[in-house]
């Protein structure tokens, strides 16, 4: 064979291979790709929640091929379950001038602001300053309805956006982004594939090792955006390590190991790993009481007048903060160790039912609540409910100093009175901590320097929320830092290919 023919064959082979990688995307290991050429293969995104989908959308808008690896069989992560909405200010749906988003976020972050102050201020400034553009991207570019604005706890103004219809915001945002990505020939999603290692050579990240259902480990090469979510569902792993008091707790998050160790293995720095949001009320499903995954019982049930009983007795003013209600519950003996949970009865009357009908009908449909009579709630419940009703009617002071009873209507409870009830227990809801990132979503090492070829976005990162995340700000961080990561990674690839 002549030298020319060999060369031609070689280069044809090489370009064929490269094209296959770029445009579809055989995902087997690239043989002997040089570190310098890695970026030409396109970008790797780990995790198909909102952070990963935002990053992927941005990469595709820059014509960069994307290989998205997702551990679960279905895409969407915890993002698809989000029910309250996404923050933004100012937006075209706000009727008030909202200039307090930054200040509210700093206030909610609390004591955590005293360490790495300048870094945190920059992240929060980026989050809040970019929130207007994030909403407008979802609404005007992607066509998602976010026209309803609500005011959640800790917010000075209404700024949490959701759609006007029945579809929850997490579902509508995730499904719309996914649909538009799937229309692109340079987007390739693989589900049931778990990333097990981040690859590094010559001080830059060069790809990932992963295993799909069949179990065999493979490699994929290219710069990496990590968007693998939080560790709220890692009850016996990272949670037990950083918050031993929460070990074994059930969660509203899917049960899965946290991924921060994959990133610290390539030098990433961690922050705020002990700062965890616990919600006082996740439903214990009577059909599957020991599931580690719980469905959230909306706060509105307590707010509209519902009461909480342990062994038939009230134990707190139900309107206290999430933290106080949780503390009061966990001060009692748990009724199960695995998962670690308590048996708290949530009780509503017809008045509360009518005020929160759509929620409660849905919970009844899911088998998480039921309509019954007080006689069915066990010993002591009647007396407790009678006292509560009497306080609600203004006949006596409430022994737990509750003064607002909202829609409670039952004035003379008897064993035959109709009530709506479900069992709830505290659940881990959100992990504030994670890997340290810059305001450009670069994953930083212990010296505060960026790790070449690696970006992070969403709940896997830490530092944006400090001690307490404001409702609606996690979807926002996914969009803001996910899109930034996509832009930065595209720039890195384009510079590298010049
Ligand atoms: C019930 C519920 C309601 C919520 N409501 C709201 C709300 O209204 N507003 C708000 O702002 N926030 C809300 N949150 C919080 C918010 O939804 C999450 O913080 C956010 O969605 C996290 O997005 P993410 O993209 O970072 O991670 P996720 O959406 O969790 O996605 C991460 C993905 O990465 C995958 N993954 C993990 N490890 C690997 C691996 N090794 N290899 C490959 N893939 C991997 C996971 O399977 C997952 O699909 C809610 C959370 C829950 C649970
Ligand atoms: C956010 O915007 C304000 C007002 O324009 C500006 O002072 C601040 O520096 C910005 N913060 C960041 C991190 O961009
Ligand atoms: C929560 O508990 C703390 C400490 O007991 C108390 O000072 C505070 O007032 C409580 N918060 C509410 C809203 O009741």
């Amino acid at each position: 064979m002549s030298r020319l023919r060999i060369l031609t064959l070689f280069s044809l082979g090489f370009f064929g291979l490269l094209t296959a990688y770029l445009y579809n995307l055989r995902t087997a290991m690239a043989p002997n790709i040089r570190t310098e050429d890695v970026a030409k293969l396109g970008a790797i995104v780990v995790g198909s929640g909102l952070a990963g989908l935002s990053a992927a959308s941005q990469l595709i808008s820059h014509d960069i091929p994307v290989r998205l690896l997702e551990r679960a069989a279905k895409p969407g992560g915890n993002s698809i379950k989000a029910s309250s909405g996404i923050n933004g200010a100012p937006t075209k749906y706000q009727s008030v001038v909202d200039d307090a988003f930054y200040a509210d976020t700093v206030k909610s972050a609390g004591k955590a602001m005293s360490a790495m102050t300048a870094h945190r201020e920059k992240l929060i400034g980026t989050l809040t300053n970019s929130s207007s553009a994030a909403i407008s991207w979802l609404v005007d570019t992607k066509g998602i309805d976010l026209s309803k604005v609500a005011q959640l706890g800790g917010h000075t103004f209404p700024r949490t956006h959701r759609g006007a219809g029945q579809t929850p915001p997490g579902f509508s945002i995730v499904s719309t982004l996914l649909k538009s990505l799937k229309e692109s020939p340079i987007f390739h999603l693989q589900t049931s594939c778990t990333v097990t290692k981040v690859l590094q050579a010559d001080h830059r990240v060069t790809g990932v090792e992963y295993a799909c259902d069949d179990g065999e480990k493979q490699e994929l090469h290219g710069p990496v955006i990590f968007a693998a979510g939080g560790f709220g569902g890692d009850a016996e792993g990272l949670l037990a390590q950083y918050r031993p008091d929460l070990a074994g707790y059930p969660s509203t998050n899917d049960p899965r190991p946290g991924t921060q160790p994959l990133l610290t293995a390539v030098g990433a720095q961690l922050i705020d790993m002990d700062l965890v949001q616990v919600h006082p009320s996740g439903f214990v499903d009577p059909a599957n009481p020991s599931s580690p995954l719980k469905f959230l019982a909306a706060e509105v049930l307590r707010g509209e007048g519902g009461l909480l009983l342990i062994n038939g007795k009230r134990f707190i003013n139900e309107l206290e903060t999430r933290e106080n209600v949780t503390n009061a519950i966990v001060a009692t003996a748990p009724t199960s160790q695995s998962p670690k949970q308590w048996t708290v009865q949530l009780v509503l009357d017809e008045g509360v039912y009518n005020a929160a009908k759509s929620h409660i009908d849905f919970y009844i449909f899911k088998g998480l609540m039921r309509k019954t009579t007080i006689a069915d709630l066990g010993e002591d419940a009647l007396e407790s409910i009678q006292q509560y009703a009497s306080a609600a009617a203004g006949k006596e002071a409430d022994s737990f100093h509750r003064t607002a009873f909202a829609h409670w209507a039952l004035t003379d409870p008897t064993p035959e009175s109709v009530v709506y009830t479900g069992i709830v227990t505290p659940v881990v809801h959100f992990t504030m901590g994670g890997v340290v990132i810059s305001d450009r979503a670069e994953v930083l090492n212990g010296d505060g320097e960026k790790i070449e070829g690696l970006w992070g976005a969403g709940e896997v990162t830490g530092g944006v929320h400090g001690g307490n995340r404001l409702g609606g700000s996690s979807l926002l961080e996914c969009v803001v830092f996910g899109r930034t990561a996509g832009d930065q990674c595209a720039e890195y690839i384009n510079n590298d290919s010049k």
Side-chain angles (χ1 to χ4, degrees):
M1 231 189 274
S2 76
R3 256 181 87 181
L4 190 67
R5 269 194 74 193
I6 293 177
L7 254 177
T8 312
L9 274 179
F10 175 78
S11 46
L12 275 178
F14 180 73
F15 280 112
L17 217 141
L18 197 61
T19 316
Y21 272 101
L22 289 175
Y23 293 110
N24 195 28
L25 299 156
R26 285 190 24 221
T27 43
M29 177 178 172
N32 306 322
I33 297 275
R34 293 180 310 159
T35 319
E36 306 89 88
D37 293 333
V38 151
K40 296 184 190 126
L41 300 173
I44 300 166
V45 177
V46 184
S48 66
L50 182 53
L53 296 179
S54 300
S57 302
Q58 210 60 18
L59 284 159
I60 297 290
S61 79
H62 295 293
D63 290 324
I64 305 288
V66 173
R67 280 84 45 93
L68 200 165
L69 296 174
E70 167 55 52
R71 172 190 189 103
K74 279 191 187 154
N78 288 305
S79 303
I80 207 166
K81 302 189 247 177
S83 47
S84 307
I86 175 167
N87 296 334
T91 71
K92 62 180 173 189
Y93 300 116
Q94 285 180 310
S95 48
V96 287
V97 179
D98 177 358
D99 54 3
F101 190 13
Y102 177 84
D104 286 353
T105 306
V106 168
K107 187 173 173 208
S108 184
K111 287 199 300 264
M113 290 304 293
S114 60
M116 291 182 75
T117 309
H119 177 82
R120 292 176 192 272
E121 285 174 349
K122 204 161 179 193
L123 289 180
I124 296 174
T126 305
L127 181 83
T128 55
N129 284 6
S130 313
S131 67
S132 181
I135 299 290
S136 131
W137 181 65
L138 293 171
V139 171
D140 301 323
T141 312
K142 299 295 169 186
I144 298 164
D145 173 20
L146 293 174
S147 58
K148 275 203 122 175
V149 183
Q151 183 169 358
L152 305 185
H155 292 272
T156 307
F157 295 104
R159 59 171 79 101
T160 307
H161 295 65
R162 65 176 199 277
Q166 291 288 317
T167 315
F171 185 84
S172 61
I173 296 171
V174 163
S175 56
T176 306
L177 292 185
L178 202 56
K179 183 165 174 279
S180 117
L181 281 169
K182 283 180 172 169
E183 283 162 8
S184 167
I186 56 169
F187 174 73
H188 182 59
L189 167 68
Q190 263 186 291
T191 52
S192 302
C193 292
T194 303
V195 169
T196 47
K197 193 177 173 184
V198 176
L199 305 173
Q200 204 174 24
D202 305 338
H203 300 291
R204 55 161 110 184
V205 166
T206 55
V208 295
E209 176 193 83
Y210 69 104
C212 298
D213 271 345
D214 58 29
E216 217 176 290
K217 284 197 173 154
Q218 308 176 63
E219 288 184 1
L220 193 57
H221 293 114
V224 178
I225 297 176
F226 229 84
F231 59 94
D234 193 6
E236 306 291 352
L238 291 183
L239 258 187
Q241 183 182 343
Y242 289 98
R243 282 293 299 270
D245 59 314
L246 300 178
Y249 267 51
S251 177
T252 52
N253 293 30
D254 298 332
R256 63 170 186 242
T259 51
Q260 282 83 2
L262 302 183
L263 298 171
T264 52
V266 292
Q269 187 189 347
L270 297 177
I271 187 171
D272 297 343
M273 291 295 279
D274 58 335
L275 302 179
V276 174
Q277 259 176 4
V278 180
H279 201 289
S281 57
F283 280 115
V284 176
D285 184 349
N288 191 5
S290 56
S291 169
L293 178 63
K294 305 290 191 216
F295 207 89
L296 198 63
E299 310 246 344
V300 63
L301 301 185
R302 287 185 288 136
E304 299 288 11
L307 59 93
L308 298 174
L309 302 175
I310 293 179
N311 292 326
K313 297 212 168 70
R314 283 186 59 226
F315 54 94
I316 194 169
N317 171 0
E318 292 81 357
L319 293 180
E320 286 204 24
T321 59
R322 285 180 185 185
E323 189 181 3
N324 284 9
V325 175
T326 302
N327 288 342
I329 296 171
V330 306
T332 70
T335 44
S336 150
Q337 285 299 339
S338 181
K340 190 162 179 184
Q341 62 192 31
W342 285 260
T343 302
V344 184
Q345 278 175 317
L346 172 68
V347 183
L348 321 173
D349 74 343
E350 292 275 8
V352 181
Y353 169 74
N354 286 320
K357 194 171 182 311
S358 63
H359 279 97
I360 300 163
D361 283 344
F362 177 70
Y363 298 143
I364 292 175
F365 166 76
K366 299 269 285 179
L368 300 169
M369 288 191 77
R370 61 199 171 90
K371 182 179 185 179
T372 183
T373 60
I374 292 178
D376 189 32
L377 296 180
E379 259 177 80
D380 296 334
L382 179 61
E383 195 187 330
S384 302
I385 296 170
Q386 279 169 339
Q387 278 171 8
Y388 183 83
S390 164
K395 290 187 209 149
E396 58 178 280
D398 179 53
S399 10
F400 297 95
H401 311 291
R402 182 164 176 155
T403 51
F405 299 86
H407 293 278
W408 185 272
L410 186 60
T411 48
D412 186 20
T414 66
E416 290 75 39
S417 302
V418 166
V419 285
Y420 298 80
T421 187
I423 305 294
V424 296
T425 188
V427 279
V428 170
H429 187 49
F430 184 86
T431 47
M432 264 75 69
V435 296
V436 177
I437 53 164
S438 71
D439 58 340
R440 302 164 83 187
E442 298 146 331
V443 176
L444 303 182
N445 68 18
D447 298 325
E449 294 157 348
K450 67 175 177 190
I451 299 172
E452 285 279 325
L454 182 64
W455 295 264
E459 204 177 332
V460 73
T461 71
V464 183
H465 309 288
N468 187 34
R469 168 190 69 106
L470 283 174
S473 278
S474 34
L475 292 184
L476 175 62
E477 84 173 309
C478 290
V479 174
V480 168
F481 293 102
R483 291 187 70 210
T484 299
D487 286 339
Q488 296 297 321
C489 180
E491 201 182 308
Y492 175 86
I493 289 175
N494 287 332
N495 285 341
D496 240 48
S497 327
K498 272 181 199 146

